[in-house]
Amino acid sequence: MKSFEDFGIDVSGKTGIEIKIPCPQCSHARKKSTYPCCYVNTEKGLWLCHHCNWSGSLSTGEDRDSSQYSTPPKVYRKPVYVHESPRQSALRWFARRGIPESVIVRRQIFVSKVYMPQCEEEVDAIRFPYFRHGECINIKSRDKDKNFRMESNCERVLYGLDDIQGGTLYWNEGEIDTLSMEVAGYLSCVSIPDGAPAPGTKNYTNKFSYLDSAMDILTPIKKHIIAVDMDAPGQLLAEELARRLGPEKCWRV
């Protein structure tokens, strides 16, 4: 049987069954070249990179169909974002939900026309900008009929990413929940971008790219409070979040 070294996987100086190391296939080409994105199970002889999906085992070798490091990385576009003051109608809508104007202004939430594929026309919608390091990465739109859409060909990131403060981080499934947490005094809170995938969703584990791209921010967090929905998709989501974040660092509401 081959060793990890035969595949360029350096586990020297590491102890334990589950360890993390920089990926020998993709880390050298990334800005954060020392970030440990490759997960290695020394007992089962398995490995998986959560950035490029390179995986394999000592007994069977590399998984050919999962190697994506040789393909060009996906190029995302940035949404057209022009900061606007929130309309009074939107402020009243949020006020009925107990969310004050100060929170709406700080989050830079606004209202504008947007094409909704569900109704096949442009409608007024509340727009939730998603920021990373102060830059607008995506925008989610919600109309009066509770139709949602994200901007096409834009990267999925966590809502509230720039508010992560270390120590403890709260997780939920919606922007309104995140705003409500802020009103209650919990600023270090994030929402996943598309809600919980339904059980049985094709390529389920590929729906978490927003985690992989934020791991350098999430790894230092000592405690994750998972407050997602209690339905079947929410339960599965909580399990997947705990698996990826580390179950020893996760608590449930």
Side-chain angles (χ1 to χ4, degrees), residues 51-160:
H51 183 262
C52 70
N53 285 338
W54 179 59
S55 63
S57 72
L58 297 183
S59 59
T60 61
E62 301 176 57
D63 294 335
R64 294 180 182 179
D65 59 349
S66 67
S67 299
Q68 300 179 4
Y69 52 85
S70 59
T71 61
K74 184 173 181 179
V75 177
Y76 297 100
R77 75 174 184 88
K78 295 297 194 308
V80 177
Y81 170 67
V82 179
H83 176 61
E84 302 178 26
S85 298
R87 297 182 190 176
Q88 289 301 313
S89 58
L91 293 177
R92 289 193 295 270
W93 186 87
F94 281 109
R96 289 195 296 271
R97 288 156 178 78
I99 301 171
E101 181 177 355
S102 59
V103 172
I104 307 308
V105 171
R106 192 186 78 80
R107 298 275 182 170
Q108 301 185 46
I109 297 168
F110 63 101
V111 174
S112 69
K113 292 280 188 184
V114 62
Y115 179 79
M116 281 291 184
Q118 297 92 330
C119 52
E120 298 184 343
E121 63 178 331
E122 282 195 347
V123 297
D124 282 331
I126 296 174
R127 315 290 304 280
F128 297 89
Y130 280 55
F131 294 101
R132 180 173 61 200
H133 306 311
E135 181 182 20
C136 184
I137 303 299
N138 209 325
I139 302 175
K140 179 180 279 189
S141 302
R142 169 180 171 153
D143 69 9
K144 64 180 179 60
D145 296 320
K146 208 175 180 181
N147 294 315
F148 296 91
R149 66 160 293 185
M150 301 287 282
E151 294 296 297
S152 59
N153 299 318
C154 293
E155 185 180 359
R156 271 16 182 202
V157 295
L158 291 167
Y159 184 69

Side-chain angles (χ1 to χ4, degrees), residues 205-224:
T205 57
N206 294 334
K207 303 295 183 183
F208 294 85
S209 60
Y210 56 84
L211 285 182
D212 299 334
S213 64
M215 274 301 177
D216 57 329
I217 301 174
L218 298 174
T219 298
I221 302 296
K222 294 180 172 60
K223 189 174 186 179
H224 298 276

